[in-house]
Amino acid sequence: MPTPSMEDHIEQIYLLIENKGYARVSDIAEALSVLPSSVTKMVQKLDKDGYLIYEKYRGLTLTPKGVKLGKRLVQRHELLEQFLRLIGVDEERIYEDVEGIEHHLSWNSIDRIADLVQLMEEQTEFMQKLEQMKTQHNV
């Protein structure tokens, strides 16, 4: 079971590879605001645990296991952002809030939130009531 730090690294590596075609230790360190030496240690651990293949000075690639988890972690993050946006959380708070909660929810809870998001998007009347409640609280 990956730790929150491992998840952050896998998620970032997945995003970098998706966006740039590659992920370098320096890019990962910059994105996570950590030292490159910390990233190197984590990458070595992720290699040992079968999430990626790391060759010193040659870069890294995600294994199928790493790709699957990376994709799921990105989807979890996007789902939580979508959920918070739907319930009316201020846009400038969303990223920080997601970062604070994403590692503390079970996959079962994530699946239930996904169900709720789908239902909310289908129920425009419910969403209008929710918006009215938000407006009333902000008066």
Side-chain angles (χ1 to χ4, degrees):
M1 191 75 155
T3 66
S5 180
M6 291 168 75
E7 286 184 349
D8 285 340
H9 281 74
I10 293 168
E11 182 179 5
Q12 197 56 57
I13 291 165
Y14 179 86
L15 286 169
L16 284 165
I17 291 172
E18 283 291 300
N19 295 327
K20 295 173 78 171
Y22 61 90
R24 296 183 316 215
V25 167
S26 59
D27 297 326
I28 300 162
E30 182 181 337
L32 295 174
S33 300
V34 297
L35 294 172
S37 58
S38 299
V39 173
T40 299
K41 287 178 190 168
M42 180 59 75
V43 163
Q44 290 168 341
K45 178 165 181 35
L46 292 170
D47 183 356
K48 184 174 156 268
D49 291 351
Y51 291 102
L52 56 83
I53 298 167
Y54 175 65
E55 295 179 44
K56 197 171 184 178
Y57 307 116
R58 300 207 53 198
L60 54 95
T61 55
L62 290 170
T63 63
K65 176 181 173 180
V67 169
K68 182 178 177 183
L69 181 58
K71 185 175 186 174
R72 193 165 187 206
L73 294 170
V74 168
Q75 290 170 337
R76 174 182 72 184
H77 190 101
E78 290 170 351
L79 172 71
L80 291 171
E81 282 186 358
Q82 182 182 11
F83 175 67
L84 294 180
R85 202 167 278 118
L86 277 171
I87 62 171
V89 173
D90 294 335
E91 196 64 35
E92 61 273 5
R93 297 267 336 136
I94 290 176
Y95 182 82
E96 186 178 325
D97 285 353
V98 169
E99 287 297 311
I101 64 173
E102 67 183 336
H103 300 295
H104 301 283
L105 295 172
S106 69
W107 287 107
N108 181 253
S109 293
I110 295 296
D111 291 341
R112 298 300 63 80
I113 290 171
D115 293 342
L116 183 59
V117 164
Q118 181 181 346
L119 192 61
M120 290 171 75
E121 289 179 332
E122 293 169 359
Q123 302 295 322
T124 55
E125 188 177 314
F126 174 79
M127 292 306 297
Q128 289 168 347
K129 287 180 182 177
L130 188 60
E131 185 60 34
Q132 287 172 349
M133 291 175 78
K134 180 184 174 196
T135 304
Q136 290 170 354
H137 287 96
N138 290 337
V139 173

